[in-house]
Amino acid sequence: SEREGSSAISAEEFQIAGTGSFPGLTNDALHFLSQPLTGNGHLVARLIAQQPTGPHARAGLMLREDATADAPTVFVSLLASGGVQFESRLTSGADLVKTDIFLDPASRWLRLLREEDQFRGYVSSDGSNWLAVGEVAASLTKTLRAGFGVVSDTDLDVNLARFTNFSLVGVT
């Protein structure tokens, strides 16, 4: 479920504060700032900072069917410890699956792409040359919630993530 958090948005930066632990396998607890994406499209953002509040603290880009705790979701994120994760839940109530983990501390850019029923996550150190970190096929609804997911790894600590260069491009 969506946890308490806050968001501050300026012309150049998104600051998103989140608590909670994610994944919860079948139930998520995170702060999710989103808007609708209908059909094909992609999200891109550069993560410039986050708080190392625990070994699983992370921030990244997410596509979800809705804000319920067990919603189908695809998430590409950077761990505060330096790893890159691609995670997915294909149906409501199913276990969350970590499909790939790469350790690449230079990667600060994230991209999450939807093409029909294909979802792909990417990382980059420069925002131009992309490395695929995960892919999954899933029959999700045509309109998804697209945006930022931030997790602190605990309900007590706040992970403040700062993103720049955000774009959401819908392609029908």
Side-chain angles (χ1 to χ4, degrees):
S1 64
E2 187 161 338
R3 287 291 207 224
E4 282 192 35
S6 63
S7 306
I9 301 168
S10 71
E12 288 98 32
E13 188 174 304
F14 288 77
Q15 292 185 17
I16 302 153
T19 64
S21 57
F22 179 90
L25 287 182
T26 59
N27 289 295
D28 309 330
L30 73 153
H31 187 65
F32 182 47
L33 175 66
S34 67
Q35 63 187 50
L37 172 66
T38 300
N40 296 329
H42 69 268
L43 301 89
V44 174
R46 179 175 176 235
L47 179 64
I48 60 172
Q50 70 174 309
Q51 304 298 314
T53 54
H56 303 290
R58 59 191 165 286
L61 301 174
M62 181 177 284
L63 293 168
R64 289 180 80 89
E65 281 197 346
D66 57 52
T68 60
D70 65 348
T73 188
V74 180
F75 188 35
V76 61
S77 62
L78 293 170
L79 289 148
S81 62
V84 179
Q85 291 192 333
F86 182 82
E87 300 163 284
S88 61
R89 177 183 301 111
L90 305 183
T91 59
S92 295
D95 285 346
L96 190 72
V97 177
K98 294 178 190 177
T99 56
D100 290 301
I101 298 175
F102 291 85
L103 297 176
D104 183 1
S107 295
R108 294 283 109 200
W109 289 80
L110 295 167
R111 181 176 182 214
L112 188 56
L113 172 74
R114 178 189 194 169
E115 292 177 328
E116 303 301 328
D117 290 342
Q118 293 294 315
F119 297 83
R120 293 180 187 91
Y122 300 88
V123 296
S124 174
S125 59
D126 60 10
S128 296
N129 299 298
W130 296 96
L131 172 67
V133 295
E135 180 176 348
V136 67
S139 296
L140 302 186
T141 58
K142 185 172 181 172
T143 299
L144 299 174
R145 301 299 304 175
F148 302 103
V150 178
V151 180
S152 69
D153 202 27
T154 75
D155 289 335
L156 303 175
D157 297 316
V158 175
N159 181 0
L160 176 61
R162 296 173 47 220
F163 294 91
T164 62
N165 302 89
F166 176 71
S167 67
L168 173 62
V169 177
V171 180
T172 55

